[in-house]
Amino acid sequence: MAALTQKKTCGQIMDEFKEFMWNPRTREFMGRTASSWVLIVSFYVVFYAFLTAVFSFSMWVMLQTIDEYNPKYSDRLTNPGLMIRPKLDTLEVVYSLTSQNSSWENYKESLRILLEDYNTTVQEERGINCTSGVYNKQEDTGDVRNYPKKACWFLRQKLENCSGIDDPTFGYKDGQPCVLIKMNRQSTRPLHFISS
């Protein structure tokens, strides 16, 4: 029993490892002959080349179905959609005039944050001044597809009492609250009908 469990010395282990890496008698490298290595390497080259070709072809087919301008699927409402602000869980604006502004502070803050994008400086930086009554069509420029389009200016002063400029409480303090309804951008050109 002791002969079966005899431990190998470090030199014996290194000799066996060297013989495994390169056996000069059988001319094997890591237990395989050169022809065996050529067959294994060529098999995996062909196998992975085939997988790469299948993946590339699948991606090419999928990319042919994608429109570069409009998403194929959308989880949003179809245009035109509406946004109501302040954002509420229900369509009721409920607050108390007798208490301090804590009952309507969230509504006021929601409107203030929304209307920050409609300040004059922001609109002049991000948008363009459009002619009233004229469709604002912006073409792509040269080879640049989906060139960033700019929206027409909408200044918050147009909202008059609901702009938050003259009355920062948006009418909630006086019991005449402002509720803003915003129509989302339309992606189609409006049609003009001629009545006969």
Side-chain angles (χ1 to χ4, degrees):
M1 194 71 152
L4 294 176
T5 60
Q6 185 178 4
K7 290 189 175 183
K8 296 179 182 178
T9 64
C10 185
Q12 288 174 331
I13 293 173
M14 289 304 294
D15 287 339
E16 285 180 2
F17 180 72
K18 284 186 212 173
E19 190 173 334
F20 168 73
M21 291 302 290
W22 173 249
N23 189 341
R25 286 177 285 113
T26 58
R27 303 189 60 78
E28 291 179 346
F29 174 70
M30 294 179 65
R32 296 191 178 275
T33 62
S35 60
S36 176
W37 278 111
V38 168
L39 287 174
I40 288 174
V41 168
S42 61
F43 169 78
Y44 280 107
V45 166
V46 170
F47 178 70
Y48 285 116
F50 176 75
L51 286 180
T52 302
V54 167
F55 176 75
S56 300
F57 179 72
S58 300
M59 289 300 292
W60 178 78
V61 168
M62 290 298 149
L63 289 174
Q64 298 307 307
T65 65
I66 294 176
D67 184 7
E68 295 183 25
Y69 296 101
N70 296 313
K72 187 170 186 172
Y73 300 108
S74 176
D75 59 352
R76 296 179 181 228
L77 297 173
T78 57
N79 288 335
L82 296 176
M83 287 179 18
I84 300 174
R85 292 294 185 269
K87 191 171 184 179
L88 311 166
D89 294 333
T90 64
L91 292 177
E92 298 175 348
V93 176
V94 179
Y95 67 97
S96 172
L97 279 175
T98 57
S99 68
Q100 294 294 333
N101 63 354
S102 61
S103 65
W104 45 267
E105 183 66 30
N106 290 340
Y107 300 144
K108 180 189 82 140
E109 189 62 19
S110 174
L111 288 173
R112 186 192 65 74
I113 291 170
L114 172 73
L115 291 177
E116 282 178 353
D117 286 338
Y118 298 96
N119 288 335
T120 305
T121 54
V122 176
Q123 288 293 305
E124 288 175 352
E125 178 184 323
R126 294 183 188 168
I128 57 174
N129 190 8
C130 301
T131 307
S132 180
V134 176
Y135 185 73
N136 180 29
K137 185 175 182 182
Q138 299 176 40
E139 296 290 341
D140 292 325
T141 57
D143 292 337
V144 180
R145 294 176 131 175
N146 284 339
Y147 188 78
K149 311 293 191 286
K150 292 193 170 194
C152 296
W153 290 349
F154 182 83
L155 305 177
R156 68 190 291 179
Q157 289 87 347
K158 292 181 182 179
L159 296 174
E160 297 173 358
N161 295 338
C162 289
S163 68
I165 295 171
D166 297 330
D167 180 12
T169 65
F170 297 97
Y172 286 92
K173 179 179 67 175
D174 303 325
Q176 297 177 337
C178 292
V179 176
L180 302 179
I181 300 175
K182 177 183 172 187
M183 187 169 169
N184 292 337
R185 179 179 64 96
Q186 293 184 0
S187 62
T188 57
R189 186 174 179 169
L191 300 174
H192 297 284
F193 295 100
I194 300 172
S195 60
S196 54

